[in-house]
Amino acid sequence: DQQVKQNSPSLSVQEGRISILNCDYTNSMFDYFLWYKKYPAEGPTFLISISSIKDKNEDGRFTVFLNKSAKHLSLHIVPSQPGDSAVYFCAASARGRRDDKIIFGKGTRLHILP
Amino acid sequence: DSGVTQTPKHLITATGQRVTLRCSPRSGDLSVYWYQQSLDQGLQFLIQYYNGEERAKGNILERFSAQQFPDLHSELNLSSLELGDSALYFCASSVETSGRWSDTQYFGPGTRLTVL
């Protein structure tokens, strides 16, 4: 039972254009969402997060949008740069619960084309 | 370099065996988290320790166990290994003083386990 789904295993985007990575979740108890980025041979690094009380959070070139009614979030990267080529993991947690452990999606591999 | 170290980098073993993966958190970090990344399951949270005590449990099998020592390093023990246990095992640490889940986790480079 996959509670956090990233339906696109990979995505290719031209350098300078917008990259949009999508994530869907099924558990309505989730109230906190995160994106992690992972380069080969390294561990994931935290990128950006959003609480369910917001519908948008921006940090430089990275913006996360949350649509609670659709149980959908997306990560926008503008403009895309070669260093953005990596695997991106969407994750969710239910912080309002005592056991606020995190559930990850399977990841989307982003290729930025020159 | 996140400051989190994991040993060994690679481990090759046979089914039925037992292995121990080691993690040293960043200096001052009290929480240690263990994750498994396999091809078909993506990244899965296994278990969190905070200052020596188990804090949260994820999808950790009964054949797996972990502990955090007084010097805050942690070990993940995997026993009765099966082919499906082949994966990357990551450790992460955070300074979160309440013991609650922290976004800002610093991940180690991982240990690649291959079970033959």
Side-chain angles (χ1 to χ4, degrees):
Chain A
D1 173 26
Q2 240 191 301
Q3 297 185 64
V4 177
K5 298 179 190 177
Q6 294 178 258
N7 292 319
S8 300
S10 69
L11 177 67
S12 295
V13 174
Q14 208 75 35
E15 182 179 351
R17 306 290 287 267
I18 181 171
S19 295
I20 300 176
L21 294 94
N22 294 303
C23 178
D24 297 294
Y25 62 96
T26 57
N27 189 340
S28 56
M29 297 295 291
F30 288 147
D31 57 7
Y32 200 75
F33 306 89
L34 310 95
W35 286 93
Y36 283 80
K37 174 178 176 178
K38 184 185 176 305
Y39 292 119
E42 293 182 15
T45 53
F46 169 71
L47 196 55
I48 192 169
S49 63
I50 187 167
S51 162
S52 61
I53 61 172
K54 291 185 168 185
D55 53 20
K56 175 182 172 181
N57 189 25
E58 200 170 341
D59 183 1
R61 296 185 299 112
F62 302 91
T63 304
V64 57
F65 295 92
L66 175 63
N67 182 334
K68 288 187 289 292
S69 59
K71 294 195 178 70
H72 176 84
L73 62 154
S74 59
L75 175 68
H76 293 214
I77 307 173
V78 184
S80 299
Q81 297 176 354
D84 297 329
S85 293
V87 176
Y88 290 79
F89 291 98
C90 169
S93 70
R95 284 195 156 188
R97 291 165 49 126
R98 278 195 71 184
D99 58 338
D100 55 346
K101 51 184 173 282
I102 198 167
I103 308 292
F104 285 83
K106 292 187 178 183
T108 295
R109 184 177 298 277
L110 176 64
H111 300 271
I112 303 301
L113 307 169
Chain B
D1 183 355
S2 66
V4 177
T5 59
Q6 289 187 249
T7 56
K9 271 190 127 165
H10 302 276
L11 198 47
I12 300 174
T13 187
T15 54
Q17 295 297 304
R18 173 190 159 95
V19 296
T20 297
L21 313 184
R22 185 189 165 103
C23 168
S24 293
R26 293 187 326 149
S27 175
D29 284 1
L30 300 176
S31 274
V32 168
Y33 310 76
W34 284 98
Y35 295 85
Q36 179 194 57
Q37 185 188 8
S38 58
L39 276 174
D40 58 340
Q41 290 296 323
L43 193 60
Q44 287 199 90
F45 165 67
L46 296 178
I47 197 163
Q48 177 199 0
Y49 273 81
Y50 170 71
N51 206 19
E53 294 186 4
E54 183 184 303
R55 185 66 182 77
K57 230 172 182 176
N59 297 325
I60 188 165
L61 299 172
E62 281 191 20
R63 300 183 285 109
F64 296 1
S65 65
Q67 52 186 329
Q68 186 179 27
F69 294 87
D71 67 351
L72 300 176
H73 92 270
S74 178
E75 293 181 354
L76 179 67
N77 301 296
L78 315 177
S79 61
S80 303
L81 284 167
E82 302 175 0
L83 295 176
D85 298 328
S86 294
L88 258 175
Y89 290 85
F90 289 104
C91 163
S93 73
S94 72
V95 76
E96 176 59 51
T97 52
S98 70
R100 290 205 73 183
W101 188 275
S102 173
D103 293 347
T104 317
Q105 296 180 26
Y106 298 88
F107 281 76
T111 292
R112 182 171 292 283
L113 173 67
T114 302
V115 182
L116 302 174

